[in-house]
Amino acid sequence: MAEERELKVRALLDTVRAEGRTALTAPEGKVIADAYGIAVPGEELATDADQAVAAAARFGGPVVLKIVSPDILHKTDAGGVIVGVDGEAAVREAYQRIVDNAHAYAADARITGIQVQELLPTGPDTQEVIVGSVTDPTFGKVVAFGLGGVLVEVLKDITFRLAPVSVDESLDMLDSIKAAEVLRGVRGAKGVDREALAEQIRRVSQLVTDFPEIAEVDLNPVIATPKGALAADIRVILAEGEQKQRRKYSREEMLTSMRRLMQPSSITVIGASNEQGKIGNSVMRNLIDGGFTGEIHPVNPKSDDILGRKAYKSVTDVPGDVDVAIFAIPAKFVASALEEVGRKGIPNAVLIPSGFAETGEQELQDEIVAIAERYGTRLLGPNIYGYYSTWQNLCATFCTPYDVKGGVALTSQSGGIGMAILGFARTTKTGVSAIVGLGNKSDLDEDDLLTWFGEDPNTDCIAMHLEDLKDGRAFVEAARETVPKKPVVVLKAGRTAAGAKAAGSHTGALAGDDAVYDDILKQAGVIRAPGLNDMLEYARALPVLPTPKGDNIVIITGAGGSGVLLSDAVMDNGLELMEIPADLDAAFRKFIPPFGAAGNPVDITGGEPPSTYEATIRLGLEDPRIHSLVLGYWHTIVTPPMVFAEVTARVVQEFRERGIEKPVVASLAGDVEVEEACQYLFDRGVVAYPYTTEKPVAVLGAKYKWARAAGKLGGGR
Amino acid sequence: MAEERELKVRALLDTVRAEGRTALTAPEGKVIADAYGIAVPGEELATDADQAVAAAARFGGPVVLKIVSPDILHKTDAGGVIVGVDGEAAVREAYQRIVDNAHAYAADARITGIQVQELLPTGPDTQEVIVGSVTDPTFGKVVAFGLGGVLVEVLKDITFRLAPVSVDESLDMLDSIKAAEVLRGVRGAKGVDREALAEQIRRVSQLVTDFPEIAEVDLNPVIATPKGALAADIRVILAEGEQKQRRKYSREEMLTSMRRLMQPSSITVIGASNEQGKIGNSVMRNLIDGGFTGEIHPVNPKSDDILGRKAYKSVTDVPGDVDVAIFAIPAKFVASALEEVGRKGIPNAVLIPSGFAETGEQELQDEIVAIAERYGTRLLGPNIYGYYSTWQNLCATFCTPYDVKGGVALTSQSGGIGMAILGFARTTKTGVSAIVGLGNKSDLDEDDLLTWFGEDPNTDCIAMHLEDLKDGRAFVEAARETVPKKPVVVLKAGRTAAGAKAAGSHTGALAGDDAVYDDILKQAGVIRAPGLNDMLEYARALPVLPTPKGDNIVIITGAGGSGVLLSDAVMDNGLELMEIPADLDAAFRKFIPPFGAAGNPVDITGGEPPSTYEATIRLGLEDPRIHSLVLGYWHTIVTPPMVFAEVTARVVQEFRERGIEKPVVASLAGDVEVEEACQYLFDRGVVAYPYTTEKPVAVLGAKYKWARAAGKLGGGR
């Protein structure tokens, strides 16, 4: 069946192509709609009144009757159209009337028959919507859904998904527009047939998946009613030209070369130098000072010894198997050196030099890509600071070594952002597994790294700064593979028109439509960071926080004012304040002053001793109905910051040893001593920030976004 | 004329009241509409065909004719209604037909006449909108405007202003809804008559201003067309009950007592103590240690000497005029001590103790308010940490002294937030003029403080954390007075449903409708901080930044990646990247490498020496067409962080000395040395942040918001 319809559409599209057209006619559109079961108003040609009656009966509602005659051009003038004909008698009568009218209009007109068309529903329970598909430059085939009409056009209330979509994903699209409520029926109107509508979306998504040459499909409008969804019009446009294919590597090939890149035994530095200030010198020193214990082989045609290591004239002279060749030579020498690297069978070339596509030297870049593809050598860069693999004590950069090992892998498309990552990580003592510069992404890009970090046991969380995705579909695939195991954070730069323009002149990034990025990254379960600092904070905190087991969040606060702001933050992040059951409320009340407020936030009031903080936090961790704690601390003489920090860390640790792990985040309001207290807490698994009620909850929100995407919250939302 | 209409409406409302009703009937609504010139469909009673023709001619379009007869209840059944009658002949004919029909229906029916009603316009150029007014618990009379229809109801696209509004403010309302474009005409439809629509809003706002007993007015829908705006229906509801009035102080009285509070010569501490850990001890020590040079008089019935100062049994024994009495005694003793304070004529009582309304002791609070009102003593608090007036070296709190004098005055409703203010200010070296706790706001509140800080020459910027406004209208008045002189930042806690609920149980704050707050604070020119940390950053940075003279912002960046993110941030904050004219572009190009990007951002690329930063920043400051600079720094060996900071600070200083002051903000991407560089820059008037592209631009955005509200940007937006 599926095969038959594909043959039918294939034949049709081939004909259209053969005629040199890209736009399909309305009847051609109908053929495609019928083949894919995309509901459009039924229409049949009747050659006698009985057939017309039968057709109308099949449509089951009022119909339009129209004369079909090669001799009658202006159907209406000829009395050849009757609208809203309902019931057998009426159809029979209308059929005859049209035939009579036609003969009266032009006595010798040849009458092919009468077309019987299903009438589009109208009325208060109908809703105009739009279903479509476009070919996105980043993500390829994408389906879109939105309400129709001028208001929604102005308000741009539309949602996107990667095609193909399942019925469940389509149903989720119906709920993803801002005006979703309208589809469920408001002001007494009935809701529309959600399944029928979702089915329309699914079928369009299947169509464009089966026929990649279809650039655009537009069902506009689709008339949705409580009983169905009919596309009043279907417009299909074919693509022009073909896209060139890049060499593809299998998942196994990808992982093999990535493993050798991130866990190398032997590294060679092409352009290693004894001269301070040269990149080839910085890289060598960083490899050595960073404590890398594998082999390090400098290559320099003019020296025999670099920083006390034997240097080779050429990479081909380097003994044994080499995993990574780091290029610290000017752009113009890269191609010939890369040939040698390829010949030696080195699987990874790390191209630090700039002077390629980013400065307009696209040809030079194409040349090295061609060489690499020939040998199967993977390229990182060019135009990068290098990369860190901390668990290998590997600092293959011209920056400075970084030694706080931990669970987050960070990547950046831009070198400046890479430096911000390094500084932030160092000042906050963020535990890092890797930092990787991607630069021009001539070959290796986010999907390769994601695939690797997804498997890397040292990595618990991945955070990526990017200006574009070379292959959005491969990224989504890698993200879908990774997200069930660990959170993926993305900072997409160039979100706005001005940012996209800047990205274009910076890395030549094709920023793409941000609404599409937003919906599809969400669909892939990726946490999108709104800004650079948010990405860095998420990266620091997500590996520290345990995964929540449910949606019930309780705020325990000494500062009522913080409680209010923390509640706002909980709502802002789409989280849920637990409705405290009566017994739990009573249990909290036992610990707090009579004028404190139980409920949620639990306001223990500012004058309380450490024991009150301890008792309430203990209760929050103990009760299995509570899934996460948000703490608001108020600096007082009775409970100074470090006392609060010690109590909290101790209790959290005690429960952890008992196997009870819940996310605990804290906002500390107080004098400067709270800063030390926050670092103390952070080091002990409590995500704590001074002078802000927003950050701790934003981080918790990010963790929940991941937990939901990874299916960790049971039924959840 | 205005008086006549007021008499008319007054008489009508009195009648409605006398009848014990609160809802007006439709004809009563029409009387009010007519009195205030609120356009509703015209209707006139015609007693013959000539009158009907004349009435229809006055309305100038199709009309509805309706029988008016005490004997005909069901007009339609009697053939007594004809819709869409257009032109003299048709009116004449319809008139006669209705009369005939009526006689046919009931031969002896008495016919009062025929009502001629203007027909509401329909068609593609008409737009349903809603105009209304409600009585907001915080702001009183408020007008609302939104599009009509079910979609907009779901999307809550509505805007509010304090009544009364001018026509200009009404026009601004039309542009403030998300779907504003629809009113200007989209998809080929004509735009509506904006002036007529604005006039409807203005008139409603005048009506509710003139008659405060009108609780609600609803014109729903108003049919707006290219030629006018007609309210299809007007609904008027009267308020029940009266509000109790508080004692009012004139602006002069307010300023006099505030001056004595903030610049006191003599202070008494009631409950001063020698015992460490007591609040009365902390306050005494802070006054002394803070370096306050005025008189400090401890009051304690049990001591003769407190911290080396003579103590008095009662405040009435304290010699001379006293400006401020600080209460450090339990709540239950406050009333009697306040009597003495009142009798002594002390103008300010600072009530640190808790145990009043916030713990349910509303009566106790009412009692002290009554005492204070009797004597004209102003109350700060109760339930506060006290206050700082740094230029007086005054630390009247139980916290710790703060000594970085500067331009920002901060207030907080909550003690916890006050402590966060203190800690943040200290760690960032924020220059502060005052920090004031407001607590329960039994008397003094934000409008009093705003009025004072508006006049205070030491204060350049005011930042307020609040959970509610006791009198939103007085606040707006004070804000309107202050904003032209200095920026006012507000953090409104309890924005969300959960936050509002928490505020209710914390300070009993009536959080109010956040959409109303948002629109009205904007209308008053107040900068709204989205969160606590934002408020603190704005407070730190706004006094440091000069006022921009125009909208042209230029980004100069060493890190292309930062340039992209900074561009996003510029858009996010509603700012404008300057379109660089050709001559300026050429001028920038002279300084940057050929592969750098001019345009905006100006991307000088990462490898550049300090001289390139210097030359481009110099050009940015020199060229009068550029109004603000956003710098993106990238840490390299060639230009280390402190070198960049020194160059930038030196150039900015040099221009400042030449009288050229422009806002310069910077994002520093690099290793931890950038933190020191940021502090160095901040101290020298360049607002700089490490590891974030968002904050510097957000602060610049806040400055622009203020500059626009204060009318500093010329034509501007």
Side-chain angles (χ1 to χ4, degrees):
Chain A
M1 179 67 192
E3 204 168 292
E4 188 184 319
R5 79 179 176 195
E6 283 182 36
L7 288 173
K8 202 165 181 179
V9 173
R10 165 64 48 226
L12 174 66
L13 296 186
D14 287 347
T15 309
V16 172
R17 285 274 202 196
E19 291 174 11
R21 287 185 290 134
T22 54
L24 271 64
T25 63
E28 286 166 348
K30 179 143 172 44
V31 171
I32 288 184
D34 288 345
Y36 272 77
I38 295 165
V40 292
E43 60 179 41
E44 287 185 27
L45 187 72
T47 50
D48 60 37
D50 286 341
Q51 284 182 9
V53 167
R58 274 192 291 277
F59 303 148
V63 293
V64 187
L65 267 57
K66 284 183 194 167
I67 185 85
V68 181
S69 160
D71 302 316
I72 298 178
L73 234 67
H74 301 288
K75 294 185 174 73
T76 310
D77 292 354
V81 179
I82 303 180
V83 176
V85 185
D86 203 0
E88 176 175 346
V91 170
R92 207 170 283 283
E93 195 264 335
Y95 189 96
Q96 195 52 51
R97 184 139 51 95
I98 288 178
V99 172
D100 293 348
N101 287 346
H103 285 310
Y105 180 75
D108 53 356
R110 292 162 295 170
I111 295 175
T112 316
I114 303 254
Q115 195 177 44
V116 183
Q117 260 186 352
E118 201 176 349
L119 199 63
L120 282 168
T122 55
D125 288 339
T126 62
Q127 188 62 54
E128 273 193 27
V129 302
I130 298 171
V131 173
S133 170
V134 291
T135 307
D136 184 85
T138 303
F139 294 102
K141 302 303 169 194
V142 155
V143 277
F145 169 74
L147 290 200
V150 59
L151 265 179
V152 176
E153 186 176 298
V154 167
L155 297 171
K156 300 188 179 56
D157 190 10
I158 192 155
T159 188
F160 302 90
R161 295 292 184 282
L162 217 56
V165 288
S166 65
V167 168
D168 278 352
E169 282 173 313
S170 303
L171 284 168
D172 183 58
M173 288 180 83
L174 305 191
D175 279 332
S176 296
I177 58 170
K178 296 189 207 88
E181 210 182 310
V182 170
L183 299 175
R184 296 194 176 271
V186 286
R187 273 199 195 168
K190 284 187 196 143
V192 304
D193 181 341
R194 302 172 61 80
E195 281 66 28
L197 196 45
E199 196 54 29
Q200 293 280 59
I201 300 172
R202 191 192 66 75
R203 285 166 191 256
V204 166
S205 83
Q206 193 56 52
L207 167 65
V208 296
T209 304
D210 292 344
F211 296 94
E213 69 257 56
I214 298 183
E216 251 183 273
V217 176
D218 210 1
L219 312 188
N220 184 5
V222 173
I223 308 296
T225 70
K227 291 193 221 147
L230 277 184
D233 190 39
I234 173 166
R235 206 171 58 96
V236 178
I237 307 282
L238 303 186
E240 302 181 65
E242 295 283 319
Q243 282 219 313
K244 117 176 168 204
Q245 284 295 318
R246 287 277 308 279
R247 173 167 176 171
K248 296 262 183 203
Y249 295 91
S250 71
R251 185 178 158 83
E252 272 324 302
E253 287 171 329
M254 205 187 264
L255 284 173
T256 303
S257 65
M258 280 301 305
R259 176 169 293 113
R260 292 182 67 183
L261 179 70
M262 301 308 290
Q263 300 174 351
S265 302
S266 174
I267 290 180
T268 181
V269 179
I270 300 172
S273 167
N274 279 316
E275 194 178 328
Q276 286 247 356
K278 288 234 170 193
I279 285 180
N281 179 262
S282 299
V283 171
M284 276 300 294
R285 278 197 289 122
N286 287 335
L287 285 172
I288 296 166
D289 298 351
F292 178 63
T293 53
E295 295 169 36
I296 306 171
H297 301 293
V299 171
N300 186 321
K302 295 178 196 151
S303 294
D304 293 329
D305 177 290
I306 305 275
L307 298 176
R309 314 238 162 182
K310 176 176 166 52
Y312 300 88
K313 301 283 175 235
S314 155
V315 75
T316 49
D317 303 332
V318 173
D321 276 353
V322 176
D323 301 300
V324 181
I326 298 168
F327 283 62
I329 52 177
K332 57 185 171 184
F333 303 126
V334 167
S336 62
L338 187 59
E339 280 280 356
E340 294 181 351
V341 165
R343 281 208 302 275
K344 186 162 168 70
I346 301 177
N348 294 292
V350 175
L351 306 179
I352 292 181
S354 52
F356 293 90
E358 87 287 1
T359 61
E361 304 292 338
Q362 184 66 51
E363 271 183 42
L364 192 55
Q365 185 162 315
D366 290 345
E367 187 190 343
I368 58 163
V369 169
I371 296 168
E373 291 192 351
R374 189 140 32 85
Y375 290 104
T377 301
R378 304 304 307 263
L379 304 178
L380 187 65
N383 185 29
I384 56 169
Y385 48 90
Y387 74 108
Y388 295 83
S389 183
T390 58
W391 293 90
Q392 312 298 318
N393 298 316
L394 178 65
C395 172
T397 80
F398 56 76
C399 311
T400 45
Y402 186 76
D403 60 5
V404 186
K405 296 178 177 66
V408 65
L410 295 123
T411 76
S412 74
Q413 184 156 357
S414 140
I417 303 308
M419 283 303 295
I421 288 173
L422 186 66
F424 174 89
R426 207 187 301 278
T427 201
T428 57
K429 304 190 179 71
T430 297
V432 164
S433 66
I435 303 176
V436 183
L438 279 167
N440 295 10
K441 301 195 283 199
S442 68
D443 176 15
L444 287 175
D445 59 11
E446 288 81 2
D447 46 285
D448 303 279
L449 293 178
L450 206 46
T451 302
W452 164 253
F453 290 129
E455 297 295 328
D456 177 23
N458 290 320
T459 298
D460 301 326
C461 170
I462 299 127
M464 303 182 138
H465 157 268
L466 51 95
E467 293 179 3
D468 66 351
L469 288 169
K470 299 298 178 203
D471 182 350
R473 210 160 260 270
F475 178 82
V476 168
E477 206 176 297
R480 282 180 168 160
E481 189 81 23
T482 309
V483 166
K485 297 180 279 185
K486 40 193 100 171
V488 178
V489 179
V490 164
L491 168 62
K492 166 69 173 67
R495 278 183 293 110
T496 63
K501 201 174 147 212
S505 73
H506 172 226
T507 54
L510 192 64
D513 182 335
D514 193 64
V516 176
Y517 261 95
D518 203 52
D519 284 337
I520 291 181
L521 291 182
K522 206 175 284 159
Q523 184 189 3
V526 163
I527 303 161
R528 193 161 175 193
L532 172 59
N533 200 253
D534 308 87
M535 178 188 83
L536 296 170
E537 294 293 2
Y538 294 175
R540 178 187 178 205
L542 288 181
V544 169
L545 281 183
T547 303
K549 296 192 176 58
D551 284 321
N552 284 338
I553 294 171
V554 171
I555 298 173
I556 298 173
T557 186
S562 296
V564 179
L565 289 167
L566 290 168
S567 300
D568 281 340
V570 164
M571 296 284 280
D572 288 342
N573 285 282
L575 301 173
E576 284 176 21
L577 278 188
M578 179 186 188
E579 297 250 3
I580 309 265
D583 66 307
L584 190 52
D585 196 63
F588 273 118
R589 271 184 202 285
K590 273 200 279 180
F591 300 119
I592 63 180
F595 52 88
N600 196 1
V602 179
D603 183 357
I604 69 170
T605 78
E608 290 300 293
S611 58
T612 308
Y613 279 106
E614 172 158 359
T616 46
I617 294 171
R618 207 171 263 288
L619 181 54
L621 292 172
E622 189 76 63
D623 194 291
R625 293 167 294 183
I626 300 176
H627 303 118
S628 299
L629 292 183
V630 176
L631 308 180
Y633 163 76
W634 181 6
H635 188 160
T636 61
I637 317 181
V638 186
T639 307
M642 279 309 294
V643 172
F644 165 78
E646 280 158 18
V647 163
T648 303
R650 175 167 49 74
V651 174
V652 167
Q653 175 63 22
E654 184 193 313
F655 275 84
R656 198 178 297 145
E657 280 161 13
R658 285 171 47 195
I660 297 175
E661 291 205 86
K662 299 181 183 180
V664 181
V665 302
S667 161
L668 275 64
D671 213 332
V672 291
E673 297 97 297
V674 295
E675 296 176 27
E676 183 195 352
C678 285
Q679 185 65 52
Y680 181 93
L681 284 165
F682 228 114
D683 292 344
R684 285 156 185 81
V686 177
V687 166
Y689 293 98
Y691 323 130
T692 168
T693 46
E694 300 82 35
K695 271 191 199 173
V697 183
V699 165
L700 184 64
K703 192 83 191 193
Y704 266 98
K705 264 191 200 142
W706 171 68
R708 242 171 249 137
K712 307 278 184 188
L713 288 178
R717 281 180 293 182
Chain B
M1 180 68 192
E3 203 168 291
E4 191 185 314
R5 82 178 176 195
E6 283 184 35
L7 288 173
K8 201 165 180 179
V9 174
R10 165 62 50 225
L12 173 68
L13 296 186
D14 287 348
T15 308
V16 174
R17 286 275 202 198
E19 290 173 12
R21 288 185 288 134
T22 54
L24 271 63
T25 63
E28 287 167 346
K30 177 141 171 47
V31 169
I32 289 184
D34 287 346
Y36 272 76
I38 294 165
V40 292
E43 59 179 40
E44 284 186 30
L45 187 72
T47 52
D48 61 36
D50 287 341
Q51 284 181 10
V53 167
R58 275 191 291 279
F59 303 148
V63 293
V64 187
L65 267 57
K66 283 184 193 166
I67 186 83
V68 181
S69 160
D71 302 317
I72 298 176
L73 234 66
H74 300 290
K75 293 184 175 73
T76 310
D77 292 355
V81 179
I82 302 180
V83 176
V85 185
D86 202 2
E88 177 175 343
V91 171
R92 206 171 284 283
E93 195 265 337
Y95 190 97
Q96 194 53 51
R97 185 138 51 96
I98 288 180
V99 171
D100 292 350
N101 286 348
H103 285 309
Y105 181 74
D108 52 357
R110 292 162 296 170
I111 295 176
T112 316
I114 304 257
Q115 196 178 43
V116 183
Q117 261 187 352
E118 200 176 349
L119 199 63
L120 282 169
T122 55
D125 290 339
T126 62
Q127 190 60 55
E128 273 194 27
V129 302
I130 298 172
V131 173
S133 171
V134 293
T135 307
D136 183 84
T138 303
F139 294 102
K141 301 303 169 194
V142 156
V143 279
F145 170 74
L147 290 199
V150 59
L151 265 179
V152 176
E153 186 176 297
V154 167
L155 298 171
K156 299 189 180 56
D157 189 11
I158 191 156
T159 187
F160 301 90
R161 295 291 184 283
L162 216 57
V165 287
S166 65
V167 168
D168 278 353
E169 282 173 312
S170 303
L171 284 169
D172 182 58
M173 289 179 82
L174 305 191
D175 280 331
S176 297
I177 59 170
K178 296 189 207 87
E181 210 183 312
V182 170
L183 299 175
R184 295 194 177 269
V186 285
R187 271 198 195 171
K190 286 188 195 140
V192 304
D193 181 341
R194 300 171 63 80
E195 282 66 29
L197 195 47
E199 195 57 27
Q200 292 281 57
I201 301 172
R202 192 193 64 77
R203 285 165 192 258
V204 166
S205 83
Q206 192 56 52
L207 167 66
V208 297
T209 305
D210 292 343
F211 295 94
E213 69 256 57
I214 298 182
E216 251 183 273
V217 177
D218 211 1
L219 313 189
N220 184 4
V222 173
I223 309 295
T225 71
K227 290 192 219 147
L230 277 183
D233 190 38
I234 174 166
R235 206 171 59 94
V236 179
I237 307 282
L238 304 185
E240 301 183 64
E242 297 282 320
Q243 282 219 313
K244 121 174 165 203
Q245 285 296 317
R246 288 275 307 279
R247 174 168 176 171
K248 295 262 183 202
Y249 296 90
S250 71
R251 184 177 161 84
E252 271 324 300
E253 287 171 328
M254 203 187 263
L255 285 173
T256 303
S257 65
M258 280 300 304
R259 177 167 290 111
R260 292 183 67 182
L261 179 70
M262 300 307 290
Q263 300 174 348
S265 303
S266 174
I267 291 179
T268 182
V269 178
I270 300 171
S273 167
N274 279 317
E275 195 178 326
Q276 287 246 357
K278 288 236 167 188
I279 284 180
N281 180 263
S282 299
V283 171
M284 276 302 292
R285 278 196 290 123
N286 285 337
L287 285 171
I288 295 166
D289 297 350
F292 179 61
T293 53
E295 296 170 34
I296 305 171
H297 300 292
V299 171
N300 186 322
K302 294 178 196 149
S303 292
D304 293 331
D305 179 290
I306 307 273
L307 298 177
R309 314 240 163 181
K310 177 175 166 52
Y312 300 89
K313 302 282 178 236
S314 154
V315 75
T316 50
D317 302 333
V318 173
D321 278 354
V322 175
D323 301 301
V324 182
I326 298 168
F327 284 62
I329 52 177
K332 59 184 170 182
F333 302 126
V334 167
S336 63
L338 188 58
E339 281 279 357
E340 294 181 351
V341 165
R343 280 209 302 278
K344 186 160 168 72
I346 301 176
N348 294 292
V350 175
L351 306 178
I352 292 180
S354 53
F356 293 91
E358 88 286 1
T359 60
E361 303 293 338
Q362 184 66 50
E363 270 184 43
L364 193 56
Q365 185 162 315
D366 291 345
E367 187 189 342
I368 59 162
V369 169
I371 296 168
E373 291 194 349
R374 190 142 29 86
Y375 291 105
T377 301
R378 304 303 308 264
L379 304 177
L380 186 66
N383 186 30
I384 57 172
Y385 49 91
Y387 74 108
Y388 294 85
S389 183
T390 57
W391 293 90
Q392 312 297 317
N393 299 315
L394 178 65
C395 171
T397 80
F398 56 77
C399 310
T400 45
Y402 186 75
D403 60 5
V404 186
K405 296 179 177 65
V408 65
L410 295 123
T411 76
S412 75
Q413 185 157 356
S414 139
I417 304 308
M419 284 304 295
I421 289 173
L422 186 65
F424 174 87
R426 208 187 300 280
T427 201
T428 57
K429 304 191 179 70
T430 297
V432 164
S433 65
I435 303 175
V436 183
L438 279 167
N440 294 10
K441 300 195 283 200
S442 69
D443 177 13
L444 286 175
D445 60 11
E446 287 82 3
D447 47 285
D448 303 279
L449 293 178
L450 206 45
T451 302
W452 164 252
F453 289 129
E455 298 293 328
D456 177 23
N458 289 322
T459 299
D460 301 326
C461 170
I462 300 127
M464 303 182 138
H465 157 267
L466 51 95
E467 293 179 1
D468 66 350
L469 288 169
K470 300 298 177 203
D471 182 349
R473 208 159 261 270
F475 178 82
V476 168
E477 206 175 296
R480 281 178 168 162
E481 189 80 25
T482 308
V483 166
K485 294 180 281 187
K486 41 193 98 171
V488 178
V489 178
V490 164
L491 168 63
K492 165 69 173 67
R495 277 181 296 110
T496 63
K501 199 172 148 214
S505 73
H506 171 227
T507 54
L510 192 63
D513 181 336
D514 193 64
V516 176
Y517 260 94
D518 203 52
D519 284 338
I520 292 182
L521 291 182
K522 207 175 283 161
Q523 185 188 5
V526 164
I527 303 160
R528 193 161 175 193
L532 172 58
N533 201 254
D534 309 88
M535 179 187 83
L536 296 170
E537 294 293 2
Y538 295 175
R540 177 186 179 208
L542 288 182
V544 169
L545 280 183
T547 304
K549 295 190 176 58
D551 284 321
N552 284 338
I553 295 172
V554 171
I555 298 173
I556 298 173
T557 187
S562 296
V564 178
L565 289 167
L566 290 168
S567 299
D568 282 339
V570 163
M571 297 284 280
D572 288 342
N573 284 281
L575 301 174
E576 285 176 19
L577 278 190
M578 181 185 187
E579 296 251 1
I580 310 267
D583 65 308
L584 189 54
D585 196 63
F588 273 117
R589 272 186 201 284
K590 271 200 281 181
F591 300 119
I592 63 181
F595 53 87
N600 195 358
V602 178
D603 183 354
I604 68 171
T605 78
E608 290 299 294
S611 58
T612 308
Y613 279 105
E614 172 158 359
T616 47
I617 293 171
R618 208 171 263 287
L619 181 55
L621 292 172
E622 188 77 63
D623 194 290
R625 292 167 294 184
I626 299 175
H627 303 118
S628 300
L629 292 183
V630 176
L631 307 181
Y633 163 76
W634 181 5
H635 189 160
T636 61
I637 319 181
V638 187
T639 308
M642 279 309 293
V643 172
F644 165 77
E646 279 159 20
V647 162
T648 304
R650 175 166 50 73
V651 173
V652 167
Q653 174 63 22
E654 182 193 316
F655 276 84
R656 197 179 298 144
E657 279 161 15
R658 286 169 48 192
I660 297 175
E661 292 205 83
K662 299 181 184 181
V664 180
V665 303
S667 161
L668 275 65
D671 212 334
V672 291
E673 297 97 298
V674 296
E675 295 177 28
E676 183 196 353
C678 285
Q679 186 65 53
Y680 180 93
L681 283 166
F682 227 115
D683 292 344
R684 285 157 185 80
V686 176
V687 166
Y689 293 98
Y691 323 129
T692 167
T693 46
E694 301 82 35
K695 270 192 199 171
V697 183
V699 165
L700 185 64
K703 192 83 190 194
Y704 266 97
K705 265 192 199 141
W706 170 68
R708 243 171 245 138
K712 306 279 184 188
L713 288 179
R717 280 180 292 184

